[in-house]
Amino acid sequence: MNENAIKIRLMKANDFDAVVGIDEKILKTSRPEYYEVKFEKLFKSKDYLPASLVAENEDGTVVGFVMGEIYMGEYGIFQEEARLDTIGVDPGYQHRGVGEQLMTEFMDHLRSLGVQKVNTLVDWNDSNLIRFFSANRFIPSRTINLERSL
């Protein structure tokens, strides 16, 4: 695939159906409620800066996305950290560099906004995702996520 054929742009509210569709292809289950909350926060909250991108093919079809948050913090004080919480590439476009292109553009966008550190959570048993993030220069943080089952 010609890398120039993929265009990365800021996510828009009308990308909702495409994002939900890609997520459903990947996870084999539909989660519109999850994305309704995320899109609501992304496009209506004043506490978050836009930090979500989509990848479009040469026809303008959304084939991938990355969603993150830059929290404005207490009293509008800017935080220098962002969170990457969701990334997805249409299975027909996986292993073609789309995810890496999304990640590169995402990091460049965050850097231009003054972000100095990006964190994310990955399931310990998801070796493919761990490999992807490792290839994109993520390392284990010094913070440990703790949980308790009830």
Side-chain angles (χ1 to χ4, degrees):
M1 179 175 78
N2 180 359
E3 211 174 276
N4 296 330
I6 296 297
K7 176 185 165 197
I8 308 295
R9 63 165 172 78
L10 282 174
M11 186 177 284
K12 297 184 232 176
N14 64 356
D15 292 321
F16 179 84
D17 290 337
V19 168
V20 170
I22 290 169
D23 186 69
E24 184 174 2
K25 286 180 185 179
I26 295 166
L27 296 180
K28 310 289 190 243
T29 187
S30 185
R31 304 185 304 160
E33 300 83 11
Y34 170 74
Y35 287 102
E36 284 171 8
V37 172
K38 295 193 69 47
F39 271 67
E40 177 83 18
K41 194 185 300 183
L42 179 63
F43 294 106
K44 294 190 178 165
S45 174
K46 299 201 183 325
D47 292 329
Y48 294 88
L49 293 173
S52 297
L53 307 174
V54 296
E56 294 179 324
N57 68 11
E58 56 279 351
D59 299 328
T61 302
V62 174
V63 298
F65 65 94
V66 59
M67 299 182 82
E69 296 177 349
I70 306 170
Y71 184 60
M72 288 303 293
E74 297 284 334
Y75 309 107
I77 298 170
F78 181 74
Q79 302 287 314
E80 295 172 341
E81 291 189 24
R83 179 170 50 107
L84 186 160
D85 60 34
T86 313
I87 186 167
V89 175
D90 186 290
Y93 283 81
Q94 291 178 0
H95 308 291
R96 297 183 182 189
V98 175
E100 185 176 345
Q101 192 176 348
L102 270 167
M103 188 68 75
T104 298
E105 295 278 345
F106 183 68
M107 295 303 161
D108 288 347
H109 176 67
L110 294 176
R111 191 176 298 110
S112 76
L113 295 173
V115 173
Q116 296 180 13
K117 186 183 289 185
V118 180
N119 61 62
T120 192
L121 295 174
V122 179
D123 184 326
W124 179 258
N125 295 315
D126 192 337
S127 58
N128 289 332
L129 203 49
I130 291 171
R131 258 192 308 280
F132 172 79
F133 280 109
S134 179
N136 282 279
R137 294 182 278 161
F138 277 76
I139 59 172
S141 75
R142 293 186 301 173
T143 304
I144 298 174
N145 184 39
L146 301 175
E147 66 181 25
R148 175 180 167 180
S149 295
L150 299 177

